[in-house]
Amino acid sequence: AYERTCCYFARKTNSVVVSVGYRLAPKHPFPAQFEDCLTAAIHFLRNAQDHGVDPSRVVVCGDSSGGTLAAAVAQALGNRRDLPKLRAQILIYPFLQSVDFNLPSYQQNKAIPLLLKERTLILGFKYLNLDLNVIQEMFKGRHILEDLRLKYQKWVSPDYIPHEFKVRGYKPTPPHPPSEEVYAHILPMLDPVFSPLLAEDSAITQLPETFILTCELDVLRDDGLLYKKRLEDHGIKVTWCHLEEGFHGTV
C-alpha cells in the first residue's frame, strides 16, 4: 500500500527512504510495533553513512498510526547521547492521545470516512488486544481518574483549540464520574508510546524540528493541533500544514 508513496517521497526529495515492515497486532502485541521502529531507527542512525546518508540529516516520518510511532520514536531518541540527533520529525494526521474523545474534531467528524470516531477506538483496542466492552464509557471520559484529569488538562483540552475550529457544531461535554474499573482496563492506552501527547515535559523539550499535517475532516485533527501547541510552548520549531478539504487517509 505504501511502496509507491515511499518511492514518490524518495524521488521528489532526493532522499533515501527506509520503510519499516514492523510486526502487526494482534499476532504481535503492543509495543512490538514501536520496538521494531525504534530498533530500525537506531540501526539506521548508526549505519547511515553505509547508505550514503549524512547521519545529521535523518528524519522520522509517518501517517496516522505511523505518525504515532514516529512521534514515539522521536521521544525515545531525544535524550540519547550515543546516537546522532534526529534532524526532524514529520507527523501526518497522527493519533496522539487517548484522554479526550469529545474534542471538537471528534464531534464534528465522527461520521466522516475513512476514520469514524468509533472505528478509531476499535482499532486502538484491537492494537492492544483489549476487550471492546468499555468503548462507550471512554466516550464519556470515565477512563480518566480525577488526579490524572488535572494533570492531562494542561496538555489535552478544548480550551487550547483555536476558536475557528469550534464553529462547526461543537458543544462542550460535561464530565462523567470516573471509573477505576474502566481506567484499569485501558491503562496501556495512556502510555506515551501509545499516546505521545502524554509524554512528560522532559521528553518534549528534547524533540527535533517538527512538521505536522492536519486535515479539517478528520477526527484526529485536534491531536495535531494540541501537539503543535505543546511543542511550540517548549520552543520547538513547528511547520504546520492544514488541508481544509483533507480527510484521514488523504495521502
Side-chain angles (χ1 to χ4, degrees):
Y2 278 81
E3 184 175 1
R4 289 182 66 183
T5 302
C6 291
C7 289
Y8 176 84
F9 285 159
R11 192 168 60 247
K12 287 291 185 179
T13 63
N14 191 31
S15 301
V16 172
V17 174
V18 179
S19 181
V20 182
Y22 55 83
R23 292 168 293 170
L24 301 178
K27 182 178 180 182
H28 300 283
F30 171 87
Q33 300 72 24
F34 162 73
E35 291 167 352
D36 287 353
C37 291
L38 181 60
T39 299
I42 291 171
H43 176 80
F44 190 75
L45 285 165
R46 285 178 174 157
N47 298 278
Q49 291 175 324
D50 294 346
H51 302 278
V53 172
D54 179 347
S56 69
R57 299 184 67 190
V58 176
V59 177
V60 290
C61 172
D63 76 317
S64 192
S65 57
T68 313
L69 290 166
V73 166
Q75 290 181 5
L77 294 175
N79 62 0
R80 293 284 295 257
R81 298 293 174 259
D82 58 325
L83 295 168
K85 287 283 189 185
L86 288 176
R87 174 63 184 86
Q89 59 176 341
I90 296 174
L91 310 178
I92 301 171
Y93 39 75
F95 173 93
L96 296 170
Q97 60 86 28
S98 303
V99 171
D100 191 343
F101 295 97
N102 288 297
L103 291 169
S105 61
Y106 269 104
Q107 292 190 26
Q108 296 159 345
N109 303 313
K110 63 184 179 182
I112 294 181
L114 300 169
L115 191 64
L116 312 185
K117 175 177 175 176
E118 190 160 351
R119 181 171 171 78
T120 305
L121 259 181
I122 290 172
L123 289 172
F125 271 59
K126 289 186 174 181
Y127 180 31
L128 294 168
N129 290 330
L130 297 178
D131 193 298
L132 303 179
N133 61 2
V134 300
I135 284 181
Q136 294 305 319
E137 298 301 300
M138 288 191 72
F139 286 151
K140 297 175 184 176
R142 298 195 64 206
H143 59 299
I144 304 298
L145 302 183
E146 198 56 44
D147 57 334
L148 287 177
R149 199 186 302 262
L150 293 171
K151 176 182 179 180
Y152 292 152
Q153 72 182 10
K154 298 181 296 182
W155 309 326
V156 183
S157 169
D159 295 344
Y160 302 139
I161 304 298
H163 175 72
E164 61 264 31
F165 294 104
K166 297 178 181 177
V167 294
R168 186 167 53 89
Y170 165 68
K171 293 182 179 178
T173 305
H176 288 76
S179 162
E180 292 268 5
E181 183 180 357
V182 177
Y183 166 74
H185 185 73
I186 65 87
L187 188 55
M189 302 185 90
L190 303 178
D191 186 327
V193 169
F194 189 90
S195 296
L197 186 52
L198 306 185
E200 297 296 333
D201 288 346
S202 57
I204 299 296
T205 57
Q206 299 297 317
L207 289 172
E209 184 177 346
T210 300
F211 176 94
I212 296 176
L213 183 139
T214 55
C215 293
E216 179 61 29
L217 306 175
D218 180 8
V219 290
L220 302 184
R221 178 197 70 201
D222 293 349
D223 284 27
L225 295 178
L226 291 171
Y227 208 47
K228 170 181 179 289
K229 179 187 185 302
R230 189 152 182 226
L231 267 58
E232 289 176 336
D233 286 349
H234 285 279
I236 310 297
K237 182 181 178 183
V238 178
T239 301
W240 172 51
C241 175
H242 183 67
L243 304 182
E244 287 289 349
E245 297 181 0
F247 53 90
H248 195 84
T250 195
V251 165

